[in-house]
Amino acid sequence: MNTTELPASPEFKASHAELMDGVYRWQRHIYDLTRKYYLLGRDRLIDGLDVPAGGTVLELGCGTGRNVIVAARRYPDARYFGLDISAGMLETAGAAIAREGLSDRVLLARGDATDFDAKALFGAERFDRVFVSYSLSMIPGWEKTVAAALAALSPNGSLHIVDFGQQEGLPGWFRALLRGWLKKFHVAPRESLREVLESESRRTGASFRFRTLYRGYVWLAVIGPRTLTSP
């Protein structure tokens, strides 16, 4: 698979793509160094993917490719696909994946996570695992991303999500400080995330598991077969 060829979805939202390219034009070069201190729970999500041998994994909002690389090391028998709306982020991700020698197992594409054609972009319609890491809090119309992710799952597949919670167990001053900082990067923790995920799991007849970490700083969720381990 070639990570340098980045097909563009004709449906992605140009305005949001331009915004994300602007936000991360320079930040993408230091993103992984700085975000590791507050994007907590990502490796816990990856450990819980439990990807079957020969399986397929799609990350929506793959950014710099950090998570895809970690997952590819953790589950070496699977194939990986990454979607992002930012051309700049995909350039960084492609370079990182090539350095890791993973170009034959990872395919990246540019598109809108709320409305994408997986068959056209990746040559695959269904995936064993789909995950979204700290992206729903940045995506306008993020509820559509949840629905699109579930639609892209194979019959026994699962959707895994980690994102900012509501910091419900943390002091008010901390919540205010964090929200102010995140707003600078167009990030807004989704208050109704759990409600939407529960609703979607009922609609699709899937199981739903939800966990809060670090006094509500992180929300971790899985929608999928009951045989999977809890998040």
Side-chain angles (χ1 to χ4, degrees):
M1 296 181 179
N2 193 334
T3 61
T4 60
E5 297 177 3
L6 308 175
S9 164
E11 303 297 330
F12 77 86
K13 299 175 182 177
S15 60
H16 188 57
E18 291 170 0
L19 174 63
M20 291 297 97
D21 277 334
V23 168
Y24 293 114
R25 179 170 290 112
W26 304 113
Q27 291 241 359
R28 62 191 174 97
H29 300 295
I30 61 170
Y31 185 92
D32 290 332
L33 289 174
T34 58
R35 267 53 177 187
K36 67 180 180 180
Y37 297 108
Y38 64 91
L39 297 188
L40 308 178
R42 294 180 296 174
D43 290 344
R44 187 187 290 258
L45 177 149
I46 291 168
D47 286 343
L49 289 176
D50 193 24
V51 183
T56 53
V57 182
L58 169 64
E59 181 179 12
L60 299 178
C62 64
T64 63
R66 182 266 184 195
N67 296 326
V68 167
I69 290 171
V70 173
R73 291 172 179 161
R74 177 73 171 77
Y75 307 101
D77 295 328
R79 292 178 295 139
Y80 296 86
F81 305 85
L83 182 77
D84 205 280
I85 204 166
S86 168
M89 281 297 216
L90 287 171
E91 181 182 346
T92 296
I97 289 164
R99 284 196 303 271
E100 295 293 327
L102 296 170
S103 297
D104 61 334
R105 293 174 51 210
V106 183
L107 177 63
L108 304 178
R110 190 183 187 197
D112 179 3
T114 68
D115 184 13
F116 59 92
D117 184 340
K119 181 68 172 179
L121 293 170
F122 301 117
E125 293 184 78
R126 298 288 183 268
F127 305 88
D128 297 300
R129 303 289 183 266
V130 177
F131 71 97
V132 192
S133 171
Y134 287 96
S135 292
L136 294 180
S137 51
M138 299 188 70
I139 298 174
W142 60 272
E143 299 92 341
K144 294 179 180 178
T145 297
V146 174
L150 290 172
L153 287 176
S154 62
N156 293 315
S158 56
L159 169 63
H160 301 247
I161 292 170
V162 64
D163 215 316
F164 292 106
Q166 293 297 298
Q167 304 87 47
E168 54 269 27
L170 294 168
W173 65 263
F174 181 87
R175 293 197 299 271
L177 186 65
L178 178 64
R179 296 300 180 92
W181 170 254
L182 294 177
K183 189 175 181 180
K184 295 178 183 294
F185 302 100
H186 303 276
V187 176
R190 306 306 187 186
E191 183 176 0
S192 61
L193 177 60
R194 181 171 187 168
E195 178 184 347
V196 169
L197 296 179
E198 285 181 320
S199 175
E200 285 296 306
S201 66
R202 288 194 298 268
R203 180 182 66 82
T204 59
S207 63
F208 175 64
R209 279 140 292 169
F210 186 89
R211 185 173 183 180
T212 64
L213 303 174
Y214 314 116
R215 299 173 66 182
Y217 182 90
V218 173
W219 284 358
L220 190 63
V222 178
I223 297 178
R226 297 182 183 278
T227 55
L228 289 179
T229 58
S230 298

